[in-house]
Amino acid sequence: MSGTIVNNVFRSSGVIAPVAGGLSFSSTITTGTTLTVEAGFGHFIDTSSNICTVTLPSVAEVGDQIILVDYARTWGTNSLFIDSNGLNYQGQDDTYTVEYGTSGETINIVYSGATKGWTPVSCCSRYSYSTTNTKSYYIWWFT
């Protein structure tokens, strides 16, 4: 094989560049209580001092991707919440609260269309949906 390799996540030295799956990662570690994200980016989120609510884009196209990383491994203490901003999240409408509460998680979500909305393609051991007057539902994955 010969030719020039472009859009490669490896540098010419063979060291992996700070890009995953073609996404750009924010160089800022988020420590605040809220973060509004856009598709095509990854974010390191530090919940050492507080919970964080991530607001997803209100408009998405099939294939849009976002990665969220538990920077300090503290989501088990201070959870990460996702506001799907009017779009579905795993088929659930925006009236549900999505909470990730396992330390050390990385959530890789992709928009699959209006029916299922944002769908984790790799993530977690547990997350929950809840609304004010209903029970929480837990869904377990083994990755």
Side-chain angles (χ1 to χ4, degrees), residues 20 22-26 37-43 65-68 107:
L23 277 80
S24 296
F25 266 77
S26 172
V37 299
E38 57 185 273
F41 291 91
H43 299 273
Q65 182 179 18
I66 297 168
I67 296 177
L68 306 171
I107 304 165

Side-chain angles (χ1 to χ4, degrees), residues 4 11 25 29 50 60 87 90 98 116 122 124 132 138 141:
T4 303
R11 296 181 183 162
F25 266 77
I29 309 300
N50 46 261
L87 301 177
Q90 278 228 195
V98 180
K116 295 293 182 182
S122 63
C124 47
T132 305
Y138 294 96
W141 277 273

Side-chain angles (χ1 to χ4, degrees), residues 47-70:
T47 63
S48 295
S49 300
N50 46 261
I51 64 165
C52 183
T53 299
V54 173
T55 302
L56 301 179
S58 61
V59 176
E61 294 182 16
V62 172
D64 282 354
Q65 182 179 18
I66 297 168
I67 296 177
L68 306 171
V69 179
D70 182 359

Side-chain angles (χ1 to χ4, degrees), residues 9 19 27 51 95 117 129 132:
V9 296
V19 176
S27 61
I51 64 165
T95 61
Y129 291 116
T132 305

